[in-house]
Amino acid sequence: MTRYSKRMVVVHWLTLALLIAAWYLGDSLADATDESKATLAGYIVHLSVGGAVLLLTLAQLVFRCKDGRPPLAEDKPIYQAVAKYVHYFLYTVLFLLPVTGITIVLNSKVGAALLAGDANMLPKEHGFKDVFSHEIHEQLVNVLIVLAVVHILGAIKHQFITKDGLMERMMLRRKD
Ligand code: HEM
Ligand code: HEM
């Protein structure tokens, strides 16, 4: 096997797109909460996009087991180890981020507000002060950014320095 299966490729890029959307929506939601202007729709959209990231990540793990994956690219053992563990940590964070999101909903007034359909019950400024999972959710976003930067730098190195065509393995359109 020299490249990822087509469904792995589709899920990889779809996850990236939804992740950017979830990040933007989460940030906007936090700003709206600080101004006491958050809406039920704002929560429902963030929760749905974030939930979709969780489903896609689980699908990616299933496809990875069923379809297999190409061996690590030829490289110095240290770079191979970094690539391997960054992939593991990315999966871990992609799983934990939505799970902590669900925990925020369950441990704050968000759940009750959604069930009652009443935006006035939503947390206002500092409303998540005592919700520990909110802090974890926020910090996990920072961890994800660091991991994604290392991952993208690796992809750039292979594309422009090593020039070994590694990106082809994560592409639908293939030269041969
Ligand atoms: C992997 C996808 C996700 C990403 C990238 C993401 C990102 C974010 C970000 C950046 C924030 C703002 C944090 C802050 O600065 O206070 C946030 C807040 C939040 N997220 Fe997520 N999130 C994701 C998934 C979820 C899911 C699945 C749920 C729930 C089912 C969820 C529930 C929440 C809640 C309740 C808040 C608090 C909003 C507020 O501070 O007003 N998130 N998220
Ligand atoms: C512009 C951004 C990105 C580029 C160019 C890119 C490129 C790639 C490439 C080329 C591979 C295959 C590596 C190999 O064959 O050894 C890969 C794998 C992977 N990517 Fe990305 N990626 C990007 C963003 C992301 C993001 C944001 C995430 C998650 C947050 C992510 C998660 C993964 C994971 C988990 C794998 C490992 C797949 C596996 O072997 O199970 N990627 N990426």
Side-chain angles (χ1 to χ4, degrees):
M1 181 173 199
T2 53
R3 35 194 53 172
Y4 286 93
S5 66
K6 284 193 177 166
R7 55 185 184 173
M8 274 289 277
V9 174
V10 170
V11 172
H12 176 271
W13 295 114
L14 205 53
T15 305
L16 174 61
L18 288 185
L19 209 49
I20 294 170
W23 180 19
Y24 173 77
L25 291 164
D27 249 356
S28 314
L29 205 50
D31 290 347
T33 299
D34 286 348
E35 293 166 22
S36 301
K37 281 184 188 160
T39 60
L40 291 174
Y43 274 93
I44 291 168
V45 178
H46 177 64
L47 271 48
S48 311
V49 176
V53 170
L54 177 61
L55 294 181
L56 283 177
T57 302
L58 295 177
Q60 191 162 0
L61 286 169
V62 171
F63 297 159
R64 189 184 206 261
C65 288
K66 288 197 168 175
D67 304 347
R69 63 183 295 282
L72 285 170
E74 294 274 319
D75 214 332
K76 287 187 189 153
I78 178 75
Y79 289 139
Q80 288 188 321
V82 170
K84 184 170 146 191
Y85 287 105
V86 165
H87 290 169
Y88 287 164
F89 284 127
L90 279 171
Y91 281 125
T92 309
V93 176
L94 286 176
F95 176 76
L96 289 180
L97 192 51
V99 169
T100 52
I102 294 168
T103 320
I104 306 174
V105 174
L106 298 177
N107 290 324
S108 68
K109 289 185 187 152
V110 175
L114 287 173
L115 281 177
D118 183 356
N120 291 321
M121 290 167 68
L122 285 171
K124 309 277 185 298
E125 196 182 0
H126 308 306
F128 292 104
K129 194 166 46 77
D130 300 323
V131 184
F132 186 55
S133 43
H134 185 267
E135 183 63 30
I136 309 243
H137 194 65
E138 210 178 324
Q139 294 308 329
L140 279 176
V141 174
N142 297 330
V143 174
L144 183 66
I145 293 170
V146 173
L147 288 170
V149 167
V150 176
H151 180 64
I152 294 167
L153 285 177
I156 291 174
K157 169 188 172 283
H158 282 281
Q159 186 69 14
F160 299 107
I161 302 174
T162 328
K163 295 187 181 157
D164 55 7
L166 185 88
M167 280 303 291
E168 286 268 310
R169 292 155 50 134
M170 239 339 151
M171 291 291 178
L172 279 183
R173 239 172 220 254
R174 286 155 186 186
K175 278 183 188 147
D176 52 33

